[in-house]
Amino acid sequence: MNHSKSEAFISFLDKRTADIQKTVVQLNEDHRSDEANFEKIRANIFQIIKTVFLSYRKTPRSEQELRALTDAKLAMFEETWKTFLSKAREHNDEKRVLQEEVKLEAMKEIRQKFDELWEVPA
């Protein structure tokens, strides 16, 4: 397996998490706790994906298998959160709508990097 792609993906997830955590601190210092809470959600998404990805790497897999498993899990998260977003909109739950939108924004960023690293066709 090409560990450089895996390491680059993990490095990306770690860097984005650290950047977001710095933003959370700044928002809290500026007494913008609502925005900080949404950024905490964003950071959690990056950490969840890292945890899932690392769990897949624990078992020896080919690069193709790792890519397929990760791709399927990302798609599952995306579909789940789109469903939650739809339900939140149906119930006019604005806070939940914003939370699900933040999750999907984070996932879009993760998906773009994953596709770029593994050269997934559009």
Side-chain angles (χ1 to χ4, degrees):
M1 176 180 23
N2 183 344
H3 284 286
S4 65
K5 289 180 183 181
S6 294
E7 294 307 318
F9 189 57
I10 292 166
S11 177
F12 162 75
L13 295 170
D14 285 341
K15 181 176 180 342
R16 284 297 292 132
T17 301
D19 290 346
I20 295 165
Q21 289 171 337
K22 287 177 190 172
T23 301
V24 168
V25 168
Q26 186 61 50
L27 289 168
N28 280 323
E29 287 173 358
D30 293 343
H31 306 289
R32 296 164 57 190
S33 60
D34 287 345
E35 291 172 76
N37 288 337
F38 287 117
E39 290 304 305
K40 287 177 189 174
I41 293 169
R42 186 182 314 275
N44 285 340
I45 299 309
F46 282 87
Q47 284 299 283
I48 289 167
I49 299 306
K50 179 183 174 185
T51 300
V52 168
F53 186 76
L54 289 174
S55 74
Y56 289 157
R57 280 192 5 167
K58 284 185 180 182
T59 303
R61 302 180 194 283
S62 71
E63 182 178 315
Q64 185 177 9
E65 290 171 322
L66 181 61
R67 178 182 145 190
L69 278 170
T70 305
D71 185 58
K73 185 58 89 171
L74 294 178
M76 190 254 341
F77 280 131
E78 288 167 332
E79 288 308 309
T80 299
W81 293 331
K82 285 177 184 177
T83 300
F84 290 165
L85 176 59
S86 177
K87 290 181 190 270
R89 285 183 174 145
E90 285 175 24
H91 294 99
N92 295 317
D93 185 344
E94 290 303 316
K95 182 178 179 182
R96 189 66 185 203
V97 166
L98 291 172
Q99 290 171 340
E100 298 307 325
E101 286 175 345
V102 166
K103 290 178 187 177
L104 288 167
E105 287 170 8
M107 185 55 70
K108 181 178 180 183
E109 187 177 348
I110 292 166
R111 168 62 78 180
Q112 287 172 339
K113 188 62 168 183
F114 177 78
D115 291 353
E116 171 191 317
L117 288 170
W118 270 272
E119 301 165 355
V120 176

